[in-house]
Amino acid sequence: MAKKWDIMITGCGGQGILLASEIIAEAAMLEGYDIKKADVHGMAQRGGSVISTVRIADKVYSPLIKYGDADILLAFELLEGYRVSKYVRDDGVFIVNTQRINPMPVASGREKYPEGLEDKIKCNAGRVVFLNALDIAKELGNFRAVNVVMIGVLSRLMDLKLDSWKKAIERLVPAKHLELNMKAFEKGREVVG
Amino acid sequence: MDKELLSGNEAIARGAYEAGVQVATAYPGTPSTEILEAIGKRYKGDIYCEWSVNEKVAVEVAMGASFAGARALSAMKHVGLNVAADPVFSLSYIGATGGIIIVTADDPYMHSSQNEQDNRNYGRHAYIPVLEPSDSQECKDYVVWGIKISEEFDTPVLLRLTTRISHSKSIVELGERVESPKPDYVKELSRRVILPAFARKLRLKVIKRLKKLAEFAEIFPENRVEMNDTKIGIITSGISYNYVKEVAPEASVLKLGMVYPVPPYMIKKFAESVDDLYVVEELDPFIETEVNRLGIFPKGKSYVPLYYELNPERVECALKGEPDPVPEMPEDAPLRPPVLCPGCPHANVFYHLHRMKMIVTGDIGCYTLGALPPLNAMDTCVCMGASVTNAIGIEKALGRENAKKIVAVIGDSTFIHSGITGLIDAVYNKGHSNIIILDNRTTAMTGHQPHPGTGKTLMGDETFELNYEELAKACGATYVKTFDPYDVEETAETLKEAFEHEGVSVIVSKRECALLARDRWKEAMWVDVEMCNGCRICLQLGCPALGIVDKKAVIDEVLCIGCGVCSQLCPEDAIKTHKEASAKEVK
């Protein structure tokens, strides 16, 4: 069977999720795949939960992934990763940034950020990679590079050429931030042994 | 041939370029905004484009261009078409000199909207053809088709998108721009002055036109049958087509690229050739009703839900006759509702309105989030501009003595869109309204578009900058003032003065949107834990950068832009900039 990837990306508004899904789609397009990618703009982006889907195959119809069918979950925030974990296949791959961003009900002290999410996520997944992408991005000097660190990890788990990833990043990241983002991409790649 | 990964909206822009469109207009509104943004970014050399002040204006400008023989496109979100409905219904009678397309982007599931109206109904209501693409390639192609149909049949064309089409990306093959007609104004009194005597004749033209369009629908190549197993036949269109292909690849499909008028013969033939006939469509039974009118009764809305967006699993269950599936979500995950951004200049205004126990009529924009806890500072939100006029009505009902407790809150772009008429109404009808214009120097909710208050156009030119104070005075407001919402004391004083004033007051809360300003703000605020007494007053701002840990306030240094409002509110003086903190250590 031909290759196909159904990728779900989740996190909070403002984490650079749209750019991450653009890079994935662009890299796959460079290798001749058909692509459908779905995002939600507007109100949800104001700090709310954000979900983006990228589907890659020889021919793709629906931009949305069927419940329980995602191959890979790229979670930019721990709670958001846990929230949609049932969308992923039983033997699916989870890449989870362990960064915690308190939602308003938690920040205001009305609810608690749930504990033990790493273990719960592990139960739902075939393979899991946990990393703190925020710490890596901060070491590089810009916390906004979290998204490209995540792309670096993903690139080790998808069968696309390194060159396609690099070209996609070059095309989509503003020139003045390119060097930083290339470093972030490499750091992400080093996470997977 | 060149290929590009484009969103549906970007593909509409490309289609306008390739179809030889010369004038494009819009008022921003999710999910339609990126159409004109893309035209402004990539094609402004070939297409005149503008952010119009509202959708009615947008359609009328496009219409004028068509009168003069140019090809025109006007784009809006679904509720925007309600605002523009008046000219659109007349445009149906007048028809097209230069081809004219109205793009409506509907929002099933209300991702970013107040209702779920299905604008295909406008096609039936106004007797105009409706095209419905199902991916980005079709978005581009249907603009080209739309201009052809418009010019050939002397009709405006409604191009209907939904959020999933507008904001999904897929691969598009690019073509060349066709040559446009040279604009030339020719006077045609009997069709452009719709006096009753002329309109009666035009009405007959419109009815005849619809018949001709139904004949065309039979041969329109974008209405096509994909014959497969004949056990199940599905009539579908738009995004639903993709879900059908995904979950029922074996079924025979009649895909309608034009959903109004439908091709009667094609539908009858398809219905006869399959055992079990379904109609799969999002929202209203629009195609189903048309099919019913042919005396055919497929499985439609009794199987496919009438509400919210469809998706592959919902369509799969509908076709199996199973109940609508609800995805299983963990119960122990706290929700993450959208919130005002860190440093949002609106937060302080809402903080005060809540404390003053005002009746706050609200409006459409990011600031509608001020209705949610902990700010709880909004009582109503109806449609663009309704804050001002709702406040007038509440005052008339409660009596003049209660005017001091009522305030309308409206964004800068929304005020220009349709708040000005309400202001004039308030003064004219001897009201005592209080109006706050939240001027954050941009159209923030839809992604920061310029508007008449910013002095910039979509084409990137400098232009006259609307002065709210001068405008308010000219309309007859007698208390007019601008204040800085980052200054807590100034804000409190201005609100108090304005509400106590006898006549109509207009106050302008002026501060650039925090999302635009954040790159220039360097220093995050900082909490001195020893001084914090855990009173939680700062948390009442609802700022996402503020939280509480071990009964003490904490500030997320990544999120905080250092606006300083929380620091001014703190009764213990515990919130400081790092500079202040280090100065203290030196002492």
Side-chain angles (χ1 to χ4, degrees):
Chain A
M1 199 187 123
K3 283 180 228 163
K4 71 119 194 156
W5 294 277
D6 288 342
I7 305 166
M8 194 161 195
I9 308 155
T10 184
C12 310
Q15 282 193 296
I17 288 166
L18 279 178
L19 178 64
S21 68
E22 296 274 312
I23 292 170
I24 300 167
E26 188 77 21
M29 193 173 103
L30 287 169
E31 301 203 8
Y33 286 101
D34 191 19
I35 291 137
K36 286 260 168 80
K37 165 175 137 58
D39 304 302
V40 168
H41 304 203
M43 188 68 100
Q45 282 179 304
R46 298 287 174 264
S49 305
V50 173
I51 293 176
S52 175
T53 57
V54 186
R55 305 192 62 208
I56 302 163
D58 288 337
K59 171 74 194 166
V60 184
Y61 284 104
S62 166
L64 296 176
I65 300 170
K66 219 166 99 178
Y67 181 74
D69 265 6
D71 302 301
I72 301 174
L73 176 72
L74 199 60
F76 280 48
E77 200 272 347
L78 189 60
L79 174 62
E80 294 312 309
Y82 173 59
R83 194 189 304 284
V84 298
S85 48
K86 290 276 171 67
Y87 274 85
V88 185
R89 275 187 0 222
D90 290 342
D91 58 345
V93 178
F94 281 62
I95 303 167
V96 182
N97 178 15
T98 53
Q99 181 188 350
R100 294 171 171 216
I101 301 176
N102 286 336
M104 190 49 72
V106 174
S108 62
R110 279 177 288 142
E111 287 185 56
K112 287 220 151 46
Y113 196 103
E115 292 302 323
L117 292 183
E118 281 95 337
D119 291 335
K120 288 181 185 169
I121 287 172
K122 268 185 204 162
C123 295
N124 280 324
R127 176 173 183 185
V128 195
V129 179
F130 287 115
L131 71 152
N132 191 321
L134 181 64
D135 284 351
I136 297 174
K138 275 185 185 164
E139 270 169 40
L140 292 168
N142 191 332
F143 63 85
R144 293 211 190 131
V146 162
N147 52 1
V148 181
V149 173
M150 296 293 286
I151 291 291
V153 183
L154 178 72
S155 73
R156 292 292 301 269
L157 300 169
M158 274 177 79
D159 192 8
L160 294 178
K161 291 184 201 112
L162 181 58
D163 194 43
S164 309
W165 289 106
K166 287 188 173 170
K167 266 193 196 142
I169 294 170
E170 266 172 41
R171 280 191 193 179
L172 291 163
V173 168
K176 61 175 176 175
H177 298 312
L178 185 60
E179 199 189 323
L180 167 81
N181 278 293
M182 279 301 176
K183 275 186 202 156
F185 177 71
E186 291 301 337
K187 284 281 174 198
R189 286 182 66 81
E190 287 167 16
V191 169
V192 184
Chain B
M1 201 178 288
D2 274 354
K3 286 182 180 179
E4 229 179 293
L5 188 66
L6 297 179
S7 70
N9 284 346
E10 291 165 336
I12 295 283
R14 179 70 198 184
Y17 169 77
E18 291 183 15
V21 165
Q22 291 138 300
V23 172
T25 63
Y27 180 80
T30 314
S32 70
T33 313
E34 299 81 5
I35 297 171
L36 262 280
E37 274 191 330
I39 292 176
K41 235 178 250 165
R42 298 184 60 170
Y43 311 115
K44 68 177 176 189
D46 293 287
I47 303 175
Y48 164 81
C49 53
E50 69 167 45
W51 291 125
S52 308
V53 301
N54 66 36
E55 294 85 353
K56 179 178 183 293
V57 171
V59 166
E60 289 159 354
V61 171
M63 215 170 146
S66 166
F67 289 169
R71 291 180 176 157
L73 176 146
S74 189
M76 60 210 68
K77 71 179 289 169
H78 59 340
V79 290
L81 190 48
N82 300 338
V83 178
D86 202 357
V88 167
F89 277 75
S90 292
L91 180 59
S92 171
Y93 280 39
I94 291 165
T97 306
I100 179 162
I101 296 181
I102 311 294
V103 182
T104 168
D106 297 4
D107 191 15
Y109 194 64
M110 300 162 275
H111 291 283
S112 207
S113 302
Q114 62 268 49
N115 77 32
E116 210 172 35
Q117 68 187 54
D118 185 335
N119 276 3
R120 293 177 300 174
N121 292 303
Y122 270 109
R124 191 187 283 138
H125 202 171
Y127 287 65
I128 54 182
V130 183
L131 300 179
E132 197 180 20
S134 58
D135 61 19
S136 298
Q137 179 70 48
E138 289 185 359
C139 282
K140 194 204 82 172
D141 295 344
Y142 286 15
V143 176
V144 178
W145 271 115
I147 289 291
K148 270 188 205 156
I149 293 169
S150 174
E151 288 176 358
E152 194 178 324
F153 292 89
D154 188 15
T155 179
V157 169
L158 189 62
L159 183 55
R160 189 245 189 175
L161 312 174
T162 55
T163 302
R164 273 310 151 196
I165 297 295
S166 286
H167 289 164
S168 289
K169 288 202 166 186
S170 54
I171 296 167
V172 177
E173 285 186 4
L174 307 184
E176 298 294 320
R177 179 168 167 94
V178 300
E179 210 174 309
S180 328
K182 198 174 172 330
D184 180 26
Y185 185 75
V186 181
K187 187 165 174 162
E188 286 186 87
L189 201 65
S190 60
R191 69 190 287 211
R192 296 207 191 111
V193 180
I194 47 169
L195 285 166
F198 294 143
R200 283 181 206 116
K201 286 192 183 133
L202 292 171
R203 169 76 171 153
L204 302 180
K205 173 190 93 170
V206 165
I207 292 168
K208 208 186 274 175
R209 181 179 74 199
L210 195 67
K211 269 192 187 157
K212 279 193 199 154
L213 281 161
E215 285 163 26
F216 169 73
E218 304 282 2
I219 55 160
F220 179 45
E222 298 297 323
N223 290 338
R224 63 167 191 267
V225 173
E226 296 173 9
M227 217 54 202
N228 226 323
D229 190 338
T230 55
K231 270 191 215 123
I232 294 182
I234 302 171
I235 305 174
T236 187
S237 70
I239 191 70
S240 308
Y241 165 78
N242 292 305
Y243 303 145
V244 163
K245 294 298 279 186
E246 192 80 34
V247 301
E250 71 294 341
S252 293
V253 172
L254 168 53
K255 180 189 183 296
L256 294 177
M258 181 154 92
V259 293
Y260 191 78
V262 296
Y265 177 73
M266 195 181 235
I267 289 173
K268 279 182 196 158
K269 207 175 132 200
F270 182 72
E272 281 162 12
S273 60
V274 297
D275 300 338
D276 213 1
L277 185 67
Y278 288 82
V279 173
V280 176
E281 58 188 324
E282 246 171 12
L283 303 181
D284 291 356
F286 183 84
I287 297 173
E288 188 181 350
T289 304
E290 292 303 309
V291 174
N292 290 163
R293 282 164 63 158
L294 303 172
I296 300 164
F297 297 90
K299 292 176 175 165
K301 284 294 153 184
S302 49
Y303 286 75
V304 183
L306 197 59
Y307 52 89
Y308 303 162
E309 253 196 316
L310 295 180
N311 58 33
E313 56 267 26
R314 290 185 92 192
V315 172
E316 187 172 46
C317 287
L319 292 174
K320 286 181 184 163
E322 290 172 4
D324 196 30
V326 182
E328 194 188 326
M329 293 298 216
E331 281 169 15
D332 56 345
L335 292 175
R336 190 182 299 275
V339 287
L340 290 176
C341 303
C344 176
H346 306 331
N348 182 37
V349 176
F350 286 127
Y351 171 83
H352 282 91
L353 294 181
H354 178 54
R355 283 172 54 103
M356 295 167 93
K357 299 194 169 62
M358 298 293 289
I359 298 174
V360 182
T361 54
D363 225 299
I364 308 276
C366 308
Y367 52 94
T368 315
L369 294 169
L372 303 178
L375 290 163
N376 299 309
M378 197 174 285
D379 291 83
T380 67
C381 172
V382 180
C383 64
M384 297 288 283
S387 58
V388 180
T389 36
N390 286 167
I392 299 172
I394 294 175
E395 179 195 326
K396 298 299 176 193
L398 295 183
R400 180 182 170 168
E401 63 278 14
N402 288 302
K404 286 180 182 150
K405 296 309 293 175
I406 308 161
V407 61
V409 174
I410 185 166
D412 43 356
S413 189
T414 311
F415 177 72
I416 296 165
H417 178 287
S418 49
I420 298 171
T421 43
L423 166 60
I424 296 171
D425 189 272
V427 173
Y428 172 60
N429 289 306
K430 297 173 163 290
H432 304 81
S433 296
N434 303 302
I435 300 167
I436 303 175
I437 301 172
L438 297 174
D439 177 17
N440 60 359
R441 318 298 302 142
T442 187
T443 318
M445 175 91 274
T446 44
H448 304 111
Q449 293 74 32
H451 61 67
T454 64
K456 294 255 168 47
T457 69
L458 172 60
M459 306 278 277
D461 297 326
E462 304 278 324
T463 185
F464 177 78
E465 185 181 320
L466 181 74
N467 183 321
Y468 301 104
E469 286 200 16
E470 294 298 323
L471 175 80
K473 284 180 199 160
C475 292
T478 44
Y479 182 91
V480 177
K481 197 177 165 190
T482 299
F483 67 97
D484 178 4
Y486 279 176
D487 185 328
V488 171
E489 210 179 299
E490 189 189 351
T491 303
E493 272 170 24
T494 309
L495 293 178
K496 196 162 163 268
E497 268 178 35
F499 299 163
E500 277 170 9
H501 179 76
E502 278 299 310
V504 170
S505 73
V506 174
I507 51 176
V508 185
S509 165
K510 186 173 178 181
R511 188 45 98 154
E512 188 181 26
C513 172
L515 284 182
L516 293 178
R518 68 177 176 192
D519 290 335
R520 293 197 296 279
W521 289 77
K522 294 284 180 232
E523 208 182 2
M525 303 301 288
W526 174 84
V527 179
D528 186 335
V529 240
E530 280 166 27
M531 292 175 78
C532 174
N533 67 359
C535 72
R536 291 170 173 252
I537 286 176
C538 56
L539 292 184
Q540 296 308 308
L541 275 173
C543 178
L546 278 158
I548 194 134
V549 173
D550 298 333
K551 298 189 176 164
K552 301 276 183 181
V554 285
I555 290 177
D556 184 326
E557 55 164 1
V558 172
L559 294 177
C560 178
I561 70 162
C563 75
V565 170
C566 57
S567 145
Q568 295 170 57
L569 287 176
C570 179
E572 299 298 319
D573 221 6
I575 306 177
K576 304 170 174 12
T577 60
H578 285 274
K579 221 179 271 166
E580 287 166 340
S582 52
K584 185 183 142 195
E585 275 165 29
V586 171
K587 278 177 201 165

